[in-house]
Amino acid sequence: MSTTELSSTSRTRLGRARERGLTDRTSLYEVLDAGMICHLGVVVDGLPRVIPTGYGRDGDILYLHGSTGARSLTEGSRQEVCVTVTHLDGIVLARSIFHHSVNYRSAMIYGTPRRVTDPDELLTALRAISERLAPGRWDAARPPTRRELAATAVLALPLEEASVKMRQGPPSDDEEDHSLGVWAGVLPVHQVFGEPVPDPRLRPGIPVPDHVRGRSAER
Amino acid sequence: MSTTELSSTSRTRLGRARERGLTDRTSLYEVLDAGMICHLGVVVDGLPRVIPTGYGRDGDILYLHGSTGARSLTEGSRQEVCVTVTHLDGIVLARSIFHHSVNYRSAMIYGTPRRVTDPDELLTALRAISERLAPGRWDAARPPTRRELAATAVLALPLEEASVKMRQGPPSDDEEDHSLGVWAGVLPVHQVFGEPVPDPRLRPGIPVPDHVRGRSAER
């Protein structure tokens, strides 16, 4: 594996839509760094289970938060998992039903995660997960205590085997359908932040910090 | 199984966060009917795979679109799958890193899907999937031809075994942390539609239809 090419296996070699596959590491990082939750796939008693959870990236390691789906994550640490991050970017409205589609970016990562036990790495991992979800909070909020750290399960998954797929652009209608009187195009989809809602128990006089306010302004 | 209670099994009985579990069918339908893509988990050669794909609901049947991940979908039709739909509703910003969380709604459905082969049911299924993603298009766009229908794989999954989990509301900080001078609250997250982008090859004089324009106005 070079530093820019991801491992290609029978799973990550693309079948039907080869042109939608990207194998470079930069694309993988871009997809991961644009998301806030992933879907973690594990096998439990031979059957699939898909759990939404938080994640973060530090270099070429993906960290997965274990506050939810604890049983699956623990089992996941002894077996291979699949982590998928998907961004829905648009609804592709074609002239025919058949060519309706979505514009999206998606990353699938395969590997056997290990449970993070080293205290320094656990802090690194939690910081990566926290900053992915809520940039600026790591320095603003009370840090984890030793007891809290002990109660937090984090898995580390090396970014070695992965595939990135995306579709962008206008519909791909059949040539003969272009004469139809049907509107066609793309309806963009965005994830945006609303106005911050203060905790009802917030002490008076504490303003909304810039690291929160700034995200609402992104829209 | 009654008409309102979903089957409870060892998987759908909740462990750690029991209060976040809902078992009524109305909640399941609400979560499903608010989404546009699901994450389909299958086991391939003993290993998990998580594939984003389109879906639709018709009564108590969930239909899954097979235009992507075709191999997994075909294999999925002979084995049990897990389908997860997740809505990220907000970032929960607590006074401590430990209590940071997300507000979300999530549904997980388990079952053994069957491939839809009956022509009438295939149309019903495609309509459900199409209308979930793009309401109004079924009547506006050219219907599928027989050849297109033959090229479309759809799986049907009965909504029998499922769990719905959600978290809403302000942060749950430790009592003693309320005296900290840290802003706390919720940053809402919304999925919104942008301005429709016409196909560069759109015939002149075809206006953006209301079923498209109306969704941009939702924001």
Side-chain angles (χ1 to χ4, degrees), chain B residues 191-207:
Chain B
Q191 196 172 47
V192 298
F193 298 99
E195 283 296 306
V197 180
D199 183 359
R201 295 189 58 184
L202 186 67
R203 277 176 47 193
I206 302 181

Side-chain angles (χ1 to χ4, degrees), chain A residues 185-201:
Chain A
V186 172
L187 183 62
V189 178
H190 304 290
Q191 197 171 46
V192 298
F193 298 100
E195 283 297 306
V197 179
D199 183 359
R201 294 189 59 185

Side-chain angles (χ1 to χ4, degrees), chain A residues 11 16 39 49-50 67 84 86 94-95 137 142 175 177 179 183-184 186 188 190 192 194 197 199 201 203, chain B residues 11 39 49-50 67 84 86 94-95 137 142 175 177 179 183-184 186 188 190 192 194 197 199 201 203:
Chain A
R11 283 182 300 206
R16 189 165 173 277
H39 282 82
R49 191 173 299 187
V50 178
S67 71
T84 299
T86 307
R95 294 160 182 85
R137 294 306 284 179
R142 175 177 68 68
E175 199 52 44
D177 284 338
S179 60
W183 189 89
V186 172
H190 304 290
V192 298
V197 179
D199 183 359
R201 294 189 59 185
R203 277 177 47 193
Chain B
R11 283 181 300 207
H39 282 83
R49 193 173 297 188
V50 179
S67 69
T84 300
T86 307
R95 294 161 183 85
R137 294 305 285 180
R142 175 177 67 69
E175 199 52 44
D177 284 339
S179 60
W183 189 88
V186 172
H190 304 291
V192 298
V197 180
D199 183 359
R201 295 189 58 184
R203 277 176 47 193

Side-chain angles (χ1 to χ4, degrees), chain B residues 131-148:
Chain B
E131 291 292 296
R132 177 96 306 285
L133 201 63
R137 294 305 285 180
W138 191 261
D139 293 330
R142 175 177 67 69
T145 63
R146 191 173 304 189
R147 178 181 300 197
E148 288 170 344

